[in-house]
Amino acid sequence: MIIALDINETLLDLSALDEPFREVFGSDSARRAWFTQMLQLSFVGGLTGAYVSFTEAQEAAFLMLASRQGLDLTFADADAMVDRMTRLPSHPEVPAALRRLKQAGTTIVALANSTQQVVEAQLDFAGIRQYFDAVYSADSIRQLKPAPAAYAMVAKNLGASMADIWLVAAHSWDVSGALAAGCSAAFVARSGEVPSPLGPQPAIVATDLDEVVRELLIRTPTTEAPFGHGSPAR
């Protein structure tokens, strides 16, 4: 069993950005509106074949939000806000939950849409990089999740089958993508989120990572050896 963990919202608490967004846009909902717009831009890039990195999508979404509100903001303003993505705390239960997985001998990898540089910085800042055998960025193959190639990249790099991989994420689109690609999946229901009712369903639905880990450890031997050498995809 390989546990592939999404990063933003699944492990890291984006509510740390609420106050900075409130200061700029004057709204408690601005950060969520920005993140939703960012996802839309990145998905459109994937569907049209005009690749857009997560960083580019985040900057563009910030400027779109500003334009809607008639605010005269610049790319420098967008860069300053987006840079905060590398300085997010983990959700409170995350370090202990990852430690339990590591102690059980489970292979743990990060699978993010953010660039390699950003996700490495995120994990370092949150103090949880040491729990991961490898860190993978779908940006490295220019096919972001939920494209099947993003999940297949993990299997290929670790010499495993898709059936060996469990995707853990707080986003229904990520879970749906993993299931469609042939992985198993666990959904972390952060902030009242729910899985999509369409298509295959995640085998685990839990309120936090600690509960997900408890369920995962029931399904895997505690002496499992990691696959491969954990070299990140480039």
Side-chain angles (χ1 to χ4, degrees):
M1 178 187 287
I2 297 164
I3 309 301
L5 290 139
D6 175 57
I7 304 304
N8 293 322
E9 295 190 308
T10 303
L11 302 185
L12 303 184
D13 188 0
L14 265 66
S15 70
L17 298 177
D18 286 353
E19 183 57 32
F21 268 89
R22 190 179 301 116
E23 290 175 358
V24 174
F25 296 104
S27 169
D28 289 342
S29 62
R31 189 264 301 173
R32 289 186 177 277
W34 164 76
F35 197 77
T36 299
Q37 181 68 73
M38 178 273 292
L39 290 175
Q40 183 186 90
L41 291 173
S42 63
F43 291 164
V44 167
L47 289 168
T48 60
Y51 180 73
V52 177
S53 73
F54 241 38
T55 299
E56 292 171 324
Q58 288 164 1
E59 292 170 345
F62 180 91
L63 294 175
M64 288 176 70
L65 198 60
S67 182
R68 289 192 193 111
Q69 297 194 21
L71 300 175
D72 187 21
L73 300 178
T74 67
F75 271 104
D77 297 317
D79 286 340
M81 185 65 80
V82 170
D83 185 59
R84 291 175 179 267
M85 288 290 289
T86 63
R87 303 189 299 277
L88 297 172
S90 68
H91 290 287
E93 85 286 359
V94 165
L98 291 176
R99 191 178 308 117
R100 288 178 62 201
L101 275 179
K102 191 72 170 178
Q103 290 171 345
T106 307
T107 301
I108 310 169
V109 304
L111 178 57
N113 277 344
S114 300
T115 65
Q116 191 80 29
Q117 181 179 3
V118 167
V119 69
E120 292 279 5
Q122 288 181 311
L123 296 176
D124 283 339
F125 181 86
I128 55 177
R129 176 61 180 86
Q130 69 272 22
Y131 299 117
F132 291 88
D133 296 291
V135 175
Y136 298 108
S137 166
D139 176 77
S140 67
I141 59 170
R142 297 173 68 85
Q143 294 194 59
L144 302 182
K145 299 181 295 177
Y151 310 99
M153 174 181 62
V154 175
K156 179 180 179 181
N157 275 272
L158 297 179
S161 71
M162 298 298 281
D164 291 321
I165 298 168
W166 277 78
L167 186 281
V168 179
H171 304 113
S172 62
W173 53 265
D174 200 355
V175 165
S176 293
L179 291 170
C183 304
S184 297
F187 182 80
V188 186
R190 302 279 188 200
S191 303
E193 293 295 325
V194 297
S196 168
L198 302 177
Q201 295 298 299
I204 298 171
V205 178
T207 57
D208 62 22
L209 190 65
D210 184 64
E211 188 177 348
V212 167
V213 167
R214 286 200 301 270
E215 292 294 326
L216 286 171
L217 290 180
I218 294 172
R219 293 167 165 81
T220 184
T222 58
T223 57
E224 181 177 323
F227 286 82
H229 300 289
S231 298
R234 296 292 182 181

